[in-house]
Amino acid sequence: MIGVYPPRWLTAVLAAGVLALACGLAPQSARATSITTPEIVESALSTECLDYNVIGICVWLHCTTFGCSIRTSVKVRHYIPELVVSSYENTGGNPWREIAMVSPPAGDALAGGQSTSEAQSDIQEHLRFKNVDAIGHPGAELFNQFASALGYTCSGAAQAFQPYFVSTLDALAWRSGIPETAYPEALIPGRRELGQMGSDLWGNIYPRSGFINQVHDYKSAALMAQRSADIVTREGQPHVYHPLVSSERDGFWPPDPVVEGDNDHRWQHLMPKMSRSCVVWPDRSPTDTYADRIDEAGDYVFALWGRYRCCRRRGQELLYHTGD
């Protein structure tokens, strides 16, 4: 199952379906709370998430038949919206409206766990389950126009509407945790955990499945989103997915694979409440309840932004560069 990707037709189906919906060619979803593609596209216009900085210079060796010279270019660093990650309760109920309406049927896949609205007030349900879909961010074109006004910008690796991870297509691993339940990361306490040292543990990254023992629904959803991003930003993982990876080259330095607590990636909240800022989880004090981020239906949508560094190529060879 390693390296098995969703079929290529799925990307075309999703993109065509979303365009049809945007043109009014399909009925609106009956779901009471959802987010639409135009809202997601507009959310990419965030200067705070972009975090554009000039950080140094690149020095190039430029040679022609008449000789060689030294040229320089500005080195910049900024974030790019790459994935829209939906972490939701019921199979087939992606809160991204258009994706839910054009996604392939879930078949015999069942829901699991328990949403906040279903939990009894006097009994806290510890075992929770989330479906997760990680789809290429649809706002790339608008974002590029927005960011280019600030100066030279880097190119992201994500393709709009590409299904990088769909948990119903990865049902065996996502629902059983096989084979990752036997990995050292899953067996040794303290390894690969999302949370703050000594307190406010959101959960373990491994096994990267849809179940977690966690009483807090928002933290459960965030952890599942973190797990899916951990998968797709690496190659050769024992899951059904499409890798979102990019290779370093002269003048271009993409982010490393997602690691919890690392600033190479940040999360933007899109639903239930949209935010104009991006954070690294956990982003509040250990005593905070995150009550304002809880969705009663148990459905959440996040955008994953990756940090890129780049400079304009001005020669055949990069001699050196400055800036982190």
Side-chain angles (χ1 to χ4, degrees):
M1 189 166 59
I2 295 176
V4 179
Y5 309 149
R8 291 184 177 180
W9 58 262
L10 185 54
T11 305
V13 168
L14 291 178
V18 169
L19 289 174
L21 286 165
C23 295
L25 301 180
Q28 294 297 307
S29 170
R31 193 180 187 280
T33 305
S34 60
I35 189 169
T36 66
T37 299
E39 290 173 323
I40 293 173
V41 170
E42 195 274 337
S43 72
L45 304 181
S46 168
T47 55
E48 186 171 346
C49 288
L50 171 65
D51 194 15
Y52 187 94
N53 288 283
V54 175
I55 59 172
I57 62 169
C58 292
V59 179
W60 301 88
L61 178 64
H62 176 73
C63 294
T64 67
T65 55
F66 302 102
C68 295
S69 62
I70 299 298
R71 293 184 175 183
T72 62
S73 58
V74 172
K75 183 180 180 182
V76 302
R77 179 185 65 209
H78 65 87
Y79 288 81
I80 297 175
E82 298 196 291
L83 293 176
V84 175
V85 183
S86 303
S87 185
Y88 55 100
E89 192 72 18
N90 296 311
T91 303
N94 190 321
W96 183 351
R97 181 184 300 175
E98 293 85 356
I99 295 299
M101 297 181 70
V102 299
S103 294
D108 295 330
L110 301 175
Q114 187 172 22
S115 70
T116 302
S117 60
E118 294 170 339
Q120 299 178 22
S121 59
D122 57 341
I123 301 177
Q124 287 191 316
E125 176 65 50
H126 286 243
L127 183 62
R128 294 181 181 271
F129 174 84
K130 297 291 182 185
N131 296 278
V132 172
D133 297 340
I135 309 294
H137 201 293
E141 183 175 350
L142 182 62
F143 170 81
N144 290 336
Q145 296 175 7
F146 164 70
S148 62
L150 299 176
Y152 183 72
T153 56
C154 310
S155 299
Q159 178 183 344
F161 299 113
Q162 167 72 46
Y164 288 94
F165 180 79
V166 178
S167 60
T168 53
L169 299 179
D170 187 45
L172 177 60
W174 193 251
R175 291 179 175 272
S176 69
I178 296 174
E180 294 179 351
T181 51
Y183 283 20
E185 295 90 342
L187 299 174
I188 301 175
R191 294 190 64 177
R192 299 304 310 275
E193 292 179 341
L194 181 62
Q196 300 185 53
M197 186 67 67
S199 62
D200 192 27
L201 177 62
W202 292 24
N204 51 296
I205 300 299
Y206 280 77
R208 294 171 298 183
S209 68
F211 287 95
I212 186 64
N213 283 307
Q214 169 63 259
V215 300
H216 200 290
D217 194 60
Y218 165 75
K219 294 179 182 180
S220 300
L223 177 66
M224 297 307 163
Q226 188 81 29
R227 285 178 174 178
S228 70
D230 195 271
I231 293 169
V232 303
T233 56
R234 292 169 169 82
E235 294 184 297
Q237 303 302 295
H239 291 268
V240 178
Y241 73 112
H242 186 91
L244 174 57
V245 296
S246 186
S247 299
E248 179 179 315
R249 58 183 184 270
D250 282 355
F252 180 78
W253 300 271
D256 291 330
V258 165
V259 175
E260 61 282 0
D262 189 273
N263 205 38
D264 246 11
H265 294 87
R266 294 176 179 175
W267 293 97
Q268 180 186 19
H269 299 90
L270 301 183
M271 203 196 105
K273 182 180 180 181
M274 185 175 293
S275 172
R276 291 294 177 182
S277 61
C278 289
V279 300
V280 176
W281 290 320
D283 59 300
R284 293 180 176 177
S285 72
T287 59
D288 196 287
T289 64
Y290 293 90
D292 59 314
R293 294 182 182 175
I294 294 177
D295 181 70
E296 289 301 315
D299 299 335
Y300 304 82
V301 182
F302 311 101
L304 179 68
W305 293 62
R307 182 171 61 179
Y308 286 77
R309 305 169 183 83
C310 64
C311 55
R312 190 186 305 276
R313 190 178 190 95
R314 298 202 64 203
Q316 290 83 11
E317 182 179 352
L318 179 65
L319 297 178
Y320 68 91
H321 59 95
T322 64
D324 181 19

